[in-house]
Amino acid sequence: AFPVDVEPHRKFHLPEDPTGPVVLVGIGTGVSPMISFLRTRAAINNAGPTVLYWGVSTKELAYNSYLGDLLKASKPGKTAGKIAVRISCSQEDVQLLVADGKVVEEPTPKRRINILLQSPEYAKELATLVGHPHAAIYICGVSDLARTTHDAVRSSLSEHKYGGCMIGAEKH
């Protein structure tokens, strides 16, 4: 046994104004708190768009872990167009897109989540989402990957005009 201190991260909670877009980045098991955020956002009628970028090694890992929860959070109906999930596989040439209760597999070069976020299409999507004055970005994952992903997000956004947004990061 060893002693552990658990301290809450002051900024790792959803914003008070639910109308702003929320960008969630989960690296591996760092997606766990993001699923809670997705469920919360899905239950709020006037919530703005919520996009989760999840980095995993293989699509099998995604299917065998949290994909069921993500499908429930993105079910058709009241969340239509509000909740989207992009899953990047670092060891397979595929990415998974989850929206409206469906999973679509797209062939794409294997890439880590930080590389995905720097690709032109996703950098533009990020810039559009965080252009809202009440936008927020959350990143959660192991320290080294969270740090490189945080840097990738900042790099992507620095190349586009965007409004100020809150970026919360949780490392584990």
Side-chain angles (χ1 to χ4, degrees):
F2 54 91
V4 176
D5 289 330
V6 178
E7 297 180 23
H9 192 287
R10 291 180 290 126
K11 294 183 181 179
F12 209 71
H13 56 83
L14 287 170
E16 290 181 28
D17 180 354
T19 60
V22 171
V23 174
L24 307 169
V25 182
I27 303 134
T29 58
V31 76
S32 296
M34 304 309 176
I35 291 171
S36 175
F37 283 177
L38 274 176
R39 286 182 185 148
T40 300
R41 299 274 295 174
I44 299 172
N45 287 330
N46 66 336
T50 305
V51 179
L52 167 64
Y53 300 95
W54 180 23
V56 295
S57 55
T58 65
K59 70 179 181 179
E60 181 181 3
L61 184 62
Y63 279 110
N64 290 333
S65 57
Y66 298 104
L67 199 54
D69 292 316
L70 297 173
L71 285 167
K72 287 178 192 170
S74 72
K75 65 184 177 247
K78 104 176 195 182
T79 64
K82 244 174 59 167
I83 305 272
V85 180
R86 284 98 168 88
I87 304 171
S88 179
C89 299
S90 64
Q91 295 177 14
E92 290 181 305
D93 293 328
V94 67
Q95 80 174 357
L96 308 175
L97 306 175
V98 180
D100 299 327
K102 297 178 193 153
V103 179
V104 176
E105 292 186 20
E106 287 189 350
T108 185
K110 53 186 146 194
R111 53 190 171 179
R112 291 181 178 266
I113 195 70
N114 58 318
I115 304 302
L116 175 90
L117 293 169
Q118 290 181 306
S119 68
E121 73 181 283
Y122 290 111
K124 184 177 180 181
E125 180 180 57
L126 272 174
T128 300
L129 288 165
V130 301
H132 188 283
H134 298 289
I137 300 174
Y138 300 89
I139 301 169
C140 185
V142 294
S143 293
D144 290 346
L145 290 173
R147 191 175 305 110
T148 59
T149 302
H150 184 268
D151 293 344
V153 167
R154 285 198 178 278
S155 173
S156 292
L157 294 177
S158 70
E159 296 175 18
H160 292 75
K161 258 189 166 179
Y162 70 97
C165 69
M166 175 176 69
I167 298 179
E170 180 79 5
K171 301 172 193 168
H172 60 87

